[in-house]
Amino acid sequence: MKTTPPRALLPAGLRAPGRWAVLPAAVLAGAALGGGYGVLKTPQYAATSYVIVVPAGKSDPAAALGFAQAYGRVATDIAVTGDAQVWAGVTADTLRKNVQAATSPDAPMISITARAERPSKAVSMADGVARALVLNSTHVAGSTGVKVVQFSRATKPLAPVSPSAPLSALVGGCAGGLLGGLVLLVRPKRGTARGEARHSRQAAAPASSAAVPAPAVATHQPEAV
């Protein structure tokens, strides 16, 4: 009994030894690009300052939660119109791009997170926005019935939050391996389909030629005398 070797079960494209070199090459290329990005990219530090919204005078305490949500949405706008950019030493565009405010659905607290290439600048930006919120709420406390109070100042970050070079290389290598695997899976299917189409055309050619009848040969019969 003749058995088919396992290699014959693979597509023709995958049996080619050179095609498998695509996968390690893609992994190495992805790791090199990811590592280079991690080395060249400037590290980013994050600092977070916290403020809390409290009712002023005899206002409803439940209103503080609603105003906390509102202040969280316009925190960067208030900081830009105020003196936050002066206190932080950055432009208004930098504040809008690198400062984010988050609120809690259960407590009238707002966290203000700033990102910068230096830890001290990140602290200055976060505290500057928090201070702008405090001053703005003081000016409009008579109409809103609430005011913003500094809850916790930002602390100087000790480590960057941006990915390191080894982590970037690992992510790049995984992405390169995934792309290389997709190339190996897609290209042999195309090659196999082309080979099958070529084989079907070659097989159809003799069949079509055999189907054409040959011209009849006229036989000469002697005339009766």
Side-chain angles (χ1 to χ4, degrees), residues 53 63-78 101 103 110 133 144 146:
V53 181
L65 183 59
F67 276 103
Q69 303 292 329
Y71 272 117
R73 292 188 182 96
V74 298
T76 53
D77 294 333
I78 294 176
T103 58
I110 307 172
L133 289 179
T144 61
V146 297

Side-chain angles (χ1 to χ4, degrees), residues 82-186:
D83 295 329
Q85 50 187 330
V86 178
W87 297 326
V90 296
T91 62
D93 187 58
T94 302
L95 283 179
R96 289 193 179 97
K97 291 181 179 179
N98 298 285
V99 176
Q100 293 181 344
T103 58
S104 172
D106 303 324
M109 181 175 290
I110 307 172
S111 63
I112 303 166
T113 303
R115 291 172 176 260
E117 64 277 5
R118 297 199 309 270
S120 58
K121 180 178 287 189
V123 172
S124 300
M125 291 169 60
D127 287 340
V129 175
R131 185 178 176 184
L133 289 179
V134 172
L135 291 180
N136 179 269
S137 68
T138 303
H139 296 157
V140 297
S143 58
T144 61
V146 297
K147 59 182 180 179
V148 180
V149 178
Q150 182 81 46
F151 184 78
S152 175
R153 296 179 63 87
T155 58
K156 188 175 182 179
L158 301 178
V161 294
S162 56
S164 59
L167 181 59
S168 299
L170 179 61
V171 174
C174 294
L178 179 60
L179 293 177
L182 291 176
V183 170
L184 287 176
L185 290 177
V186 172

Side-chain angles (χ1 to χ4, degrees), residues 19-84:
R19 188 174 299 276
W20 287 104
V22 174
L23 187 59
V27 172
L28 292 177
L33 291 176
Y37 174 79
V39 171
L40 298 177
K41 182 176 175 57
T42 304
Q44 293 288 312
Y45 295 86
T48 304
S49 180
Y50 295 91
V51 296
I52 189 169
V53 181
V54 297
K58 297 181 180 179
S59 60
D60 186 8
L65 183 59
F67 276 103
Q69 303 292 329
Y71 272 117
R73 292 188 182 96
V74 298
T76 53
D77 294 333
I78 294 176
V80 168
T81 56
D83 295 329

